[in-house]
Amino acid sequence: MNTTQAAAVVAAAIARSLTVATAESLTAGMVAAELATIPGASGTLQGGIVSYQSQVKAAVLGVDADLLAREGAVTEGVACQMAEGARRVLQADIAVSTTGVAGPEPHGGRDVGTVWIGVAAPHGTWASEYHFDGDRASIRQQACEAAIIELGRAVGDEAAVLSGS
């Protein structure tokens, strides 16, 4: 992991007095752990929820159980609802979520390497789809890095909204 990106996110969030949180499935806490390696992270990181199983996504994060049953866990809607749930439960300004298929086999009709990263912020919620190559560890690492980049964008976007730019 490139800790420079995580350090930049932590510094930017602290400078803007923004709190952040994570909701992680395939990364199983890697994003929160990477942020926490940065000195001063306690000034922004509220916490993280590892919701590997769908019932945890529904019960803890409030992801719609019908959506999970109908479409599976690796979808745009689930990624968005996971991020919204983490933002609400952990009382953060911005939350990022990860859900995907790390392999070695496809899951729920989704190919290995398919990842959705959701972001929930005061100015809106969105998700981005990624397709990573490599083994299980590599896909999880790439998802973690992408989530930190998405979180950094959200911190910057929120700062622009707050400043009226």
Side-chain angles (χ1 to χ4, degrees), residues 37-118:
T37 64
I38 306 304
S42 61
T44 186
L45 181 61
Q46 292 287 88
I49 297 169
V50 175
S51 56
Y52 215 69
Q53 299 297 325
S54 289
Q55 60 264 36
V56 177
K57 289 174 181 69
V60 177
L61 295 172
V63 175
D64 184 296
D66 290 335
L67 175 65
L68 287 163
R70 187 175 63 252
E71 297 184 19
V74 184
T75 66
E76 178 179 18
V78 169
C80 287
Q81 288 185 23
M82 286 174 65
E84 290 169 348
R87 184 170 179 257
R88 181 183 63 255
V89 170
L90 297 171
Q91 299 177 359
D93 295 309
I94 301 171
V96 65
S97 69
T98 63
T99 185
V101 184
E105 300 295 324
H107 179 74
R110 304 295 189 274
D111 291 333
V112 172
T114 303
V115 173
W116 281 95
I117 297 174

Side-chain angles (χ1 to χ4, degrees), residues 110-136:
R110 304 295 189 274
D111 291 333
V112 172
T114 303
V115 173
W116 281 95
I117 297 174
V119 176
H123 65 277
T125 301
W126 63 93
S128 300
E129 184 177 22
Y130 291 83
H131 297 277
F132 299 123
D133 291 319
D135 63 11
R136 182 176 176 78

